Amino acid sequence: MKNDLKEKILKIIEKNNKLTDEEVAVMLGVATEEVAIAVKELETDKIICGYHTLINWDKTGDDEVSAIIELRVNPQRGSGFDRIAEKVYQFPEVDTVFLMSGGFDFMVQLKKAPMKEIALFVAKRLSVIDEVQSTTTHFVLKRYKDHGTLFVDEGGDKRMVLTP
């Protein structure tokens, strides 16, 4: 199996994972079997790590919020940032953890929850980790674009209404 084919498949299904192997095969001009084998190998090699659905929660009755927390930490000799990251991503409230460059070391995204629960999680569980120097919590107020998908209505007249 060619890596070029796998890369093309990844680019297609990254935008729409609901496409069938048959549809991807037609798009690439290859046999359905080749696509099925490539996808299975990509899953086995943990290149494809899961399939997710983007939901615009603002259009539902959901009152929970998303939070992004920046952490500044003291890395430990011998294990660096990895051991600290493991402590953080083990919490069930944590959805995403990235090691970052810049003013903070980690960016942590929490699962949607009531604002009070997020505040208590940060105060009682995250900030008390020995290596954590400081935290900065950001609450997501509105998503405009996520994973390349727009969450705003593109149509309509966007001019401001003026009254005399």
Side-chain angles (χ1 to χ4, degrees), residues 47-110:
I47 294 169
I48 295 176
C49 300
Y51 299 91
H52 302 277
T53 302
L54 279 174
I55 298 170
N56 188 348
W57 290 106
D58 292 342
K59 293 192 174 195
T60 70
D62 185 34
D63 288 335
E64 295 183 338
V65 296
S66 297
I68 297 168
I69 302 160
E70 296 171 317
L71 298 179
R72 187 173 290 126
V73 301
N74 287 324
Q76 299 301 302
R77 186 180 305 253
S79 63
F81 293 103
D82 294 341
R83 193 173 65 72
I84 302 165
E86 185 176 356
K87 285 181 181 180
V88 173
Y89 68 63
Q90 293 296 331
F91 290 117
E93 296 88 347
V94 173
D95 194 43
T96 305
V97 178
F98 293 119
L99 178 62
M100 307 290 288
S101 63
F104 289 87
D105 301 304
F106 290 108
M107 190 278 300
V108 178
Q109 188 167 1
L110 299 182

Side-chain angles (χ1 to χ4, degrees), residues 101-142:
S101 63
F104 289 87
D105 301 304
F106 290 108
M107 190 278 300
V108 178
Q109 188 167 1
L110 299 182
K111 293 180 181 173
K112 290 174 62 64
M115 201 175 288
K116 186 173 183 172
E117 280 183 30
I118 291 172
L120 288 172
F121 171 76
V122 173
K124 295 186 183 267
R125 300 186 72 199
L126 200 56
S127 63
V128 297
I129 296 173
D130 289 338
E131 297 86 0
V132 172
Q133 290 179 341
S134 66
T135 67
T136 301
T137 303
H138 305 275
F139 291 99
V140 177
L141 303 177
K142 182 175 181 177

